[in-house]
Amino acid sequence: MPKPKYGSEPYKALANYKDALERLATGGRVPPHSIETEQSVLGSMMVDAYAAEIAFEEIGDCDMSVEATPFYRDAHAIIYMSAVAILKRNERVDLLTITDRLREKGNLDLIGGPSYLVELTSRIVTTANVQTHSRIIKQKHLAREMIVLNDMVNTELWDGYENPMALNDVHQAALFDMRSKVKKPEFEGVGVLAERKLASLALMGDLVAPGIKLGIDVIDSVTGGLRPTRYYALGAREGTGKSALAVDWALNAAFGKDKSYGVFHWTGEMSKDDVTTRILANLANVDSMDIDDNKLTVDEREDMNAAAYKLAKTPYVIDDTSGITPLQLRAAIRRAMRQHPIDLVIIDCIQWMEADYIEHDNTKRMTAISKQLKRLAKDLKVSVLVLSSLRRDEKNPYSEPNKSMLRESGQLESDADAVMLLWLKEPYEGEDVVPITVKFDKQRARMMGRVEIAFRRSRSHFTDKQIEFPEFKEPEQQSFF
């Protein structure tokens, strides 16, 4: 059987698709493109910093290579890559920064010199259409890639390739890959995820205060609720329940007594399915292990269905994109905001994020990420809650934590408006309900101190209400520094 000339990998034939387009265009047909649209987008990016971010959301970083960008003209691809590099340094994109970047990389003459950049900006009357124009550029690029892909298939078949079904699989995989590069995924609400979880188990059958209340009275009394534009850090050692507490707070925000707040929850360590299991265990008051093992009683199944019904229209979305960067996170939150308002952003956890540029030093990487997240909270006017691991105390793993223990992130301690630390004073092996001390190690304009809450491990649920967990005794008096 003849082997495919282009190989079995869907994009191997497309790696040099511009060369293929030139060959296919020898008959006088010009590949789909729009130079004017490309010029409009690039000019808008240099005129309006917000337009630059919108264009990046639609087009992406394109692996930072000329061949990978959707721009037809190489000069435009080089200009766009320079803009992306500037964005990743958390700097403003404008005519001067673009010019400096191109000159620094020796590309200024390649794109036509400073006069061409001035020409691009002089064409701009309004930047209102930058999103639409960015999508047109992507669609034109998709059309060109499909032309090359179909030519690849035709060439293989005309040359006698004997397994057309295998070739069809390559063709379909390439089409799917193309579509995923053009179409941004819509976020699934947690209600959809909960329903899917139930199906897999065959179970289907205004706040008075300005802040977002977290549902635990002693914590709400200290924090006053999470406020828009503020940046909060929650640190804990492994196994202390920080992810469970974040889910607890997210649900209390989404099901607020006086107002329902929109929640965007990025999880780097757990999958969406794992987070959904914790949510269902929390709401239905069932053991999360029983959900995973599908060992639920009839009553528990009914409680699960009730929980899923409750989640159906909840403004709570979960994103588990691996190794997300702050710039990608910002774009994802903005896409989610098109579905419903977002008030609270949860990052679980910061150590699982990547910087917008390659940084091998972990401390420097965390510093860059933290600064971007701080800016994100202010720009999008949301509360940002960042979870962070704490460094281990090898001598005493249950010693009192402090904010200097935030792993590889002294900048997080500095950037945060409040730092909360969870403290498990002993292992409490074999016990389901355990006391957890929440230490407020930093709070701007509010008190610092310690409060104790109860953590029910099997239900992934925290509370300060003694009536729910009679085996836990609240302290007679909360202690503050």
Side-chain angles (χ1 to χ4, degrees):
M1 180 186 301
K3 293 183 178 180
K5 292 181 179 179
Y6 296 103
S8 59
E9 297 178 16
Y11 259 86
K12 186 169 283 188
L14 304 180
N16 298 311
Y17 83 97
K18 288 188 177 181
D19 293 339
L21 280 175
E22 291 179 3
R23 175 175 57 80
L24 293 172
T26 53
R29 303 183 69 181
V30 179
H33 69 283
S34 175
I35 297 300
E36 294 79 8
T37 304
E38 293 182 5
Q39 291 174 330
S40 174
V41 169
L42 294 173
S44 297
M45 292 179 74
M46 287 185 282
V47 169
D48 185 342
Y50 180 71
E53 293 185 357
I54 294 297
F56 175 80
E57 289 176 21
E58 293 296 331
I59 298 173
D61 57 20
C62 306
D63 300 323
M64 296 305 291
S65 65
V66 173
E67 293 78 12
T69 68
F71 290 88
Y72 183 74
R73 183 175 285 180
D74 285 350
H76 294 168
I78 294 171
I79 296 170
Y80 178 77
M81 289 190 302
S82 298
V84 171
I86 293 168
L87 280 174
K88 289 186 174 183
R89 293 203 306 257
N90 197 22
E91 297 175 3
R92 185 184 180 90
V93 174
D94 58 29
L95 179 60
L96 292 177
T97 56
I98 288 286
T99 302
D100 289 343
R101 174 73 182 185
L102 290 167
R103 183 181 290 114
E104 175 189 339
K105 295 297 180 181
N107 292 328
L108 190 57
D109 292 336
L110 289 177
I111 59 93
S115 60
Y116 185 62
L117 296 177
V118 173
E119 179 186 344
L120 291 177
T121 57
S122 65
R123 292 171 176 265
I124 304 304
V125 177
T126 176
T127 62
N129 297 320
V130 66
Q131 184 178 61
T132 300
H133 289 169
S134 297
R135 290 175 179 174
I136 291 173
I137 292 172
K138 295 277 282 186
Q139 294 292 342
K140 297 289 187 184
H141 180 241
L142 175 64
R144 297 195 297 270
E145 288 197 325
M146 289 183 69
I147 289 171
V148 174
L149 176 64
N150 289 324
D151 177 67
M152 175 199 79
V153 174
N154 290 334
T155 300
E156 295 287 2
L157 293 174
W158 278 107
D159 288 350
Y161 188 63
E162 298 176 4
N163 191 348
M165 292 306 297
L167 195 60
N168 180 67
D169 291 340
V170 174
H171 181 258
Q172 293 299 321
L175 286 175
F176 179 82
D177 197 7
M178 289 179 190
R179 184 176 183 274
S180 66
K181 289 174 181 287
V182 174
K183 183 176 176 61
K184 298 292 185 182
E186 294 297 325
F187 292 101
E188 295 178 309
V190 70
V192 175
L193 298 174
E195 187 173 339
R196 183 181 301 161
K197 182 68 177 181
L198 293 175
S200 69
L201 300 172
L203 298 177
M204 287 302 297
D206 268 48
L207 290 175
V208 175
I212 301 173
K213 297 300 184 183
L214 303 175
I216 301 178
D217 292 341
V218 291
I219 291 180
D220 287 333
S221 67
V222 179
T223 64
L226 305 186
R227 310 298 176 93
T229 73
R230 294 191 186 176
Y231 183 46
Y232 300 87
L234 176 65
R237 298 185 177 104
E238 299 299 323
T240 312
K242 64 179 182 295
S243 295
L245 184 58
V247 168
D248 229 14
W249 288 352
L251 291 173
N252 279 296
F255 293 113
K257 294 179 181 179
D258 302 304
K259 178 183 177 181
S260 179
Y261 291 95
V263 179
F264 184 97
H265 185 165
W266 178 76
T267 170
E269 186 173 6
M270 295 189 294
S271 68
K272 289 188 287 189
D273 187 73
D274 290 335
V275 175
T276 304
T277 297
R278 292 196 174 199
I279 291 172
L280 289 169
N282 186 311
L283 289 178
N285 194 27
V286 298
D287 194 315
S288 57
M289 289 183 62
D290 289 341
I291 298 177
D292 281 335
D293 297 338
N294 198 16
K295 295 180 179 178
L296 300 171
T297 66
V298 173
D299 289 342
E300 287 174 334
R301 291 173 188 272
E302 291 180 357
D303 291 338
M304 291 275 286
N305 279 305
Y309 179 79
K310 186 178 180 181
L311 289 165
K313 295 183 179 180
T314 305
Y316 183 177
V317 294
I318 303 172
D319 182 11
D320 61 357
T321 302
S322 298
I324 200 167
T325 69
L327 208 54
Q328 291 169 343
L329 179 68
R330 178 185 291 256
I333 294 170
R334 280 202 169 123
R335 293 203 307 274
M337 283 179 166
R338 295 171 197 157
Q339 298 179 30
H340 57 69
I342 296 295
D343 305 286
L344 173 61
V345 174
I346 295 175
I347 310 298
D348 186 11
C349 63
I350 191 172
Q351 279 80 18
W352 287 86
M353 292 187 68
E354 296 293 341
D356 285 312
Y357 54 87
I358 297 175
E359 180 57 73
H360 299 291
D361 184 282
N362 282 333
T363 300
K364 291 181 179 179
R365 179 171 64 91
M366 288 295 103
T367 296
I369 292 172
S370 180
K371 284 182 174 295
Q372 286 274 43
L373 295 179
K374 175 77 170 179
R375 181 186 172 197
L376 183 152
K378 295 178 66 177
D379 291 349
L380 301 186
K381 295 179 173 58
V382 296
S383 305
V384 174
L385 175 64
V386 174
L387 278 59
S388 175
S389 299
L390 297 180
R391 289 195 299 271
R392 293 181 180 275
D393 185 336
E394 299 297 338
K395 295 181 179 179
N396 182 6
Y398 301 101
S399 63
E400 180 175 358
N402 58 73
K403 59 188 177 183
S404 65
M405 292 181 177
L406 291 170
R407 183 174 292 173
E408 299 161 345
S409 188
Q411 189 65 41
L412 176 58
E413 170 194 342
S414 174
D415 292 337
D417 295 288
V419 176
M420 299 167 280
L421 306 173
L422 301 186
W423 180 16
L424 184 66
K425 297 182 180 180
E426 54 183 279
Y428 297 103
E429 294 180 2
E431 296 185 36
D432 185 27
V433 180
V434 299
I436 298 284
T437 297
V438 182
K439 181 181 178 182
F440 294 86
D441 217 5
K442 175 185 177 181
Q443 277 212 106
R444 292 196 173 122
R446 297 192 71 88
M447 70 180 76
M448 297 188 295
R450 304 178 184 86
V451 298
E452 283 197 352
I453 58 178
F455 177 35
R456 192 168 190 176
R457 290 164 163 166
S458 62
R459 276 29 173 197
S460 299
H461 182 54
F462 284 81
T463 188
D464 62 348
K465 296 180 180 178
Q466 184 177 345
I467 189 172
E468 287 192 30
F469 304 149
E471 58 267 57
F472 171 70
K473 295 181 179 180
E474 286 193 40
E476 294 182 2
Q477 182 179 358
Q478 303 296 333
S479 60
F480 293 93
F481 298 140

